[in-house]
């Protein structure tokens, strides 16, 4: 769900970004009930011939917003969440089975339908406008998103599909997929990760039917927005939706991590979900945030055609859950093709207990890079994206070590430490030196920095 994106952290590449026509062949799929079809990832770069990007069978003209790189496009269509026995697939299947088993419709069929093959290419309207995210909101910045052009982008959250699925007539669904964000580089952040969105809508009868003397209760009123409810919702309706949401998610986490799990809720606020919360669990003595959730904005629900219903939504990160459940220390490992990693998750059933056995811990190689910033147009995420594009998954971490402002010239200098480590073999000083030198040269050429190498 979009709220998992903490909006506090909420291009200008001319060569690193796509300057040529890149074609990714494949047929986009649209999920039915519990669909698991994937989009093939037959990726290949071609010589420059037009200012367009062809992706999943469609052509997108580039403009001043285009900043998606070939490295990122190479991930589109991998669909790790649909790859059988992959740890992300295991988490997805566990959540699906839990919802299928515990939430049934009037005819005994699963209440929630699952969509895990929706295209990751969405419109800006789907990703932001449909969620009521203001035009000037920081979450829309090029520095934080991968844009194909001003109108299309790689989804930044599975919430991009909320409006369309509600508009199609669905009252309860899970949407799963890969999402894309430009971000920092460390063991828990990667520009591509996977989310699961959950949405449930209630009619007046569904929400109040089990309440004694609930015939006179209403979903809506002409009231005022407070810290606890929207202006159009009655307090009784909000409390019941909130209780149902927290109960559903507490049962889900207990089902995944076992009885005795401690759960706590942290109040938060987002402009398109109110009231909203983050769920934290205590796992092995440490409190960790695992998902965000809240009562859906009625304007969103109503505009999608469900004017007479109220609902909740949640979003969880599959990598976050898998890293906790299987004790996986580095998010890059989810992209590994090493059989020593993948075979650990093959078992007779999805609930088989697995504790990840680390591959040989290869030593890191550390190099620093310093440069003067060009102007206020510089963005750290531009630099992180450049480093990932050149170094790929050999980059374990990038840390800003020092920031210095010259007292006379007022020019600002950044010093970054880049940690190189291959998850499957030992790196040599020679190959790291070549990569590091390429990063230095590209930073000067692409970002306009003045090197202090």
């Amino acid at each position: 769900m979009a709220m998992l994106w903490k909006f506090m952290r909420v291009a200008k590449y001319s060569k690193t970004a796509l300057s040529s026509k890149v074609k990714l062949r494949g047929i986009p799929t649209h999920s039915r009930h519990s669909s698991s079809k994937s989009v093939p990832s037959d990726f290949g770069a071609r010589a420059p011939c037009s200012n367009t990007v062809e992706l999943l069978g469609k052509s997108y003209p580039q403009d001043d917003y285009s900043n998606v790189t070939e490295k990122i496009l190479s991930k589109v269509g991998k669909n790790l969440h649909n790859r059988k026995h992959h740890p992300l697939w295991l988490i997805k299947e566990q959540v699906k089975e839990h919802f299928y088993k515990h939430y049934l419709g009037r005819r005994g069929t699963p209440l929630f339908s699952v969509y895990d093959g929706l295209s990751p290419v969405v419109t800006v309207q789907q990703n932001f406008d449909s969620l009521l995210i203001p035009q000037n909101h920081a979450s829309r910045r090029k520095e934080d998103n991968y844009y194909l052009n001003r109108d299309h982008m790689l989804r930044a959250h599975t919430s991009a599909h909320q409006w369309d699925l509600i508009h199609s007539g669905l009252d309860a669904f899970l949407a799963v997929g890969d999402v894309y964000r430009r971000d920092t580089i460390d063991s828990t952040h990667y520009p591509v990760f996977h989310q699961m969105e959950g949405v449930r809508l209630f009619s007046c009868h569904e929400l109040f039917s089990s309440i004694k003397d609930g015939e006179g209760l209403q979903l809506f009123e002409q009231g005022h927005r407070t810290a606890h409810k929207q202006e159009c919702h009655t307090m009784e309706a909000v409390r019941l939706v909130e209780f149902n949401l927290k109960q559903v998610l507490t049962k889900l986490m207990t089902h995944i991590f076992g009885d005795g799990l401690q759960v706590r809720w942290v109040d938060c606020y987002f402009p398109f979900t109110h009231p909203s919360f983050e769920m934290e669990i205590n796992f092995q003595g440490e409190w960790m945030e695992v998902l965000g959730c809240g009562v859906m904005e009625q304007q969103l629900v109503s505009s999608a055609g469900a004017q007479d219903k109220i609902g909740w939504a949640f979003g969880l990160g599959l990598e976050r859950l898998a890293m906790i459940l299987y004790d996986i220390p580095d998010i890059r490992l989810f992209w590994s093709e090493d059989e020593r990693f993948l075979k650990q998750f093959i078992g007779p059933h999805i609930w088989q207990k697995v504790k990840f056995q680390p591959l040989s811990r290869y030593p890191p190689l550390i190099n620093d890079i310093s440069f003067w910033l060009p102007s206020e147009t510089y963005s750290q995420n531009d630099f992180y994206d450049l480093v990932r594009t050149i170094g790929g998954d050999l980059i374990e971490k990038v840390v800003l070590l020092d920031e210095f402002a010259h007292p006379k010239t007022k020019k600002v200098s950044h010093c970054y430490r880049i940690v190189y480590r291959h998850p499957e073999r030992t790196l040599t000083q020679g190959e790291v030196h070549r990569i590091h030198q390429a990063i230095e040269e590209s930073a000067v050429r692409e970002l306009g920095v003045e090197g202090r190498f």
Side-chain angles (χ1 to χ4, degrees):
M1 169 178 184
M3 67 179 64
L4 273 182
W5 192 357
K6 294 176 186 281
F7 287 108
M8 289 78 76
R9 64 173 183 99
V10 216
K12 53 194 283 187
Y13 296 123
S14 61
K15 296 181 181 178
T16 307
L18 291 179
S19 59
S20 62
K21 183 177 181 180
V22 176
K23 187 171 185 179
L24 182 61
R25 296 186 298 275
I27 301 174
T29 60
H30 303 279
S31 296
R32 302 290 184 184
H33 186 84
S34 186
S35 170
S36 294
K37 295 181 179 179
S38 302
V39 181
S41 58
D42 182 11
F43 175 83
R46 295 188 174 186
C49 57
S50 69
N51 197 31
T52 62
V53 177
E54 290 187 12
L55 187 60
L56 304 180
K58 294 185 178 181
S59 181
Y60 301 92
Q62 297 187 72
D63 56 27
D64 60 327
Y65 253 63
S66 305
N67 67 351
V68 63
T69 65
E70 295 182 18
K71 184 70 177 179
I72 294 301
L73 284 180
S74 71
K75 304 293 186 181
V76 177
K78 295 291 187 180
N79 295 315
L80 300 183
H81 60 289
N82 288 336
R83 183 174 177 178
K84 194 171 184 179
H85 299 302
H86 191 280
L88 298 180
W89 175 85
L90 289 174
I91 289 289
K92 182 197 72 171
E93 292 299 312
Q94 289 176 20
V95 176
K96 277 174 54 178
E97 182 177 281
H98 173 76
F99 274 88
Y100 282 0
K101 180 178 179 180
H102 293 278
Y103 303 98
L104 302 177
R106 284 175 292 180
R107 298 181 179 179
T109 56
L111 180 65
F112 285 80
S113 52
V114 179
Y115 299 84
D116 56 10
L118 299 170
S119 173
V121 179
V122 298
T123 64
V124 172
Q125 194 279 335
Q126 288 175 299
N127 199 79
F128 295 121
D129 298 338
S130 71
L131 298 171
L132 312 180
I133 298 175
Q135 287 288 334
N136 60 351
H137 201 276
S139 62
R140 293 176 178 254
R141 298 186 307 173
K142 287 171 59 177
E143 289 85 350
D144 296 322
N145 299 284
Y146 287 106
Y147 285 93
L148 295 174
N149 53 41
R150 281 186 172 270
D151 298 320
H152 295 86
M153 63 188 298
L154 297 177
R155 63 187 168 207
H157 40 228
T158 46
S159 299
H161 304 292
Q162 275 186 10
W163 192 95
D164 291 324
L165 292 173
I166 293 173
H167 188 65
S168 71
L170 296 175
D171 287 341
F173 58 84
L174 304 174
V176 194
D178 42 329
V179 298
Y180 299 77
R181 299 180 194 162
R182 305 177 75 200
D183 211 336
T184 54
I185 302 176
D186 56 36
S187 62
T188 61
H189 292 92
Y190 200 79
V192 189
F193 57 102
H194 299 75
Q195 283 189 340
M196 174 177 283
E197 191 86 7
V199 169
R200 175 76 198 277
L201 302 181
F202 301 88
S203 65
C204 186
H205 173 75
E206 289 171 325
L207 191 62
F208 296 129
S209 61
S210 60
I211 304 299
K212 184 179 179 180
D213 300 324
E215 295 82 0
L217 298 178
Q218 300 295 321
L219 296 180
F220 307 112
E221 67 176 7
Q222 295 295 325
H224 302 281
R225 180 173 290 241
T226 70
H228 305 289
K229 75 176 197 69
Q230 298 172 38
E231 58 272 24
C232 57
H233 291 159
T234 64
M235 184 59 72
E236 295 84 3
V238 171
R239 290 302 188 201
L240 282 173
V241 170
E242 184 181 316
F243 175 78
N244 181 269
L245 171 62
K246 291 181 177 180
Q247 187 178 51
V248 166
L249 293 175
T250 300
K251 287 181 178 179
L252 174 62
M253 290 299 114
T254 302
H255 198 60
I256 292 176
F257 293 102
D259 294 330
L261 182 74
Q262 292 179 278
V263 172
R264 70 183 182 191
W265 299 92
V266 179
D267 292 348
C268 54
Y269 176 76
F270 297 91
F272 50 93
T273 306
H274 179 72
S276 53
F277 317 91
E278 289 174 355
M279 178 191 226
E280 296 181 348
I281 65 172
N282 191 307
F283 191 75
Q284 298 180 346
E286 181 180 355
W287 285 100
M288 291 169 284
E289 183 249 322
V290 293
L291 56 82
C293 60
V295 179
M296 298 186 72
E297 279 290 332
Q298 195 59 38
Q299 183 180 341
L300 188 164
V301 175
S302 298
S303 68
Q307 294 92 341
D308 57 345
K309 295 181 179 179
I310 186 175
W312 53 246
F314 71 79
L316 56 85
L318 298 187
E319 279 88 350
R320 172 64 59 86
L321 295 181
M323 292 179 80
I324 296 173
L325 184 61
Y326 302 127
D327 201 19
I328 298 174
D330 194 321
I331 196 170
R332 293 176 301 164
L333 286 167
F334 290 105
W335 297 90
S336 175
E337 295 294 337
D338 193 322
E339 288 299 316
R340 293 174 299 168
F341 173 75
L342 298 172
K343 284 184 177 179
Q344 295 187 39
F345 302 95
I346 298 176
H349 55 81
I350 61 175
W351 295 103
Q352 178 176 324
K353 292 190 178 299
V354 176
K355 181 174 176 58
F356 172 67
Q357 300 300 315
L359 310 179
S360 298
R361 189 62 170 166
Y362 299 100
L365 294 177
I366 299 173
N367 285 265
D368 294 346
I369 180 173
S370 299
F371 46 75
W372 296 105
L373 306 189
S375 67
E376 67 280 357
T377 60
Y378 174 81
S379 165
Q380 288 191 46
N381 277 351
D382 283 346
F383 178 66
Y384 296 147
D385 215 30
L386 182 146
V387 172
R388 277 208 189 276
T389 297
I390 296 173
D393 288 350
L394 301 186
I395 308 298
E396 182 178 86
K397 183 187 299 185
V398 179
V399 179
L400 177 62
L401 284 184
D402 182 58
E403 183 173 355
F404 167 73
H406 195 284
K408 293 184 178 180
T409 66
K410 306 302 180 183
K411 294 177 65 175
V412 177
S413 171
H414 278 189
C415 177
Y416 294 90
R417 172 154 294 171
I418 303 178
V419 180
Y420 299 84
R421 191 199 313 254
H422 198 295
E424 298 161 6
R425 64 177 177 84
T426 299
L427 292 172
T428 66
Q429 289 283 359
E431 63 182 317
V432 168
H433 174 73
R434 288 191 293 274
I435 295 170
H436 197 75
Q437 187 176 26
I439 292 173
E440 292 175 341
E441 294 171 354
S442 293
V444 172
R445 183 176 63 249
E446 307 293 344
L447 302 181
V449 305
E450 181 183 341
R452 303 178 67 188
F453 314 138

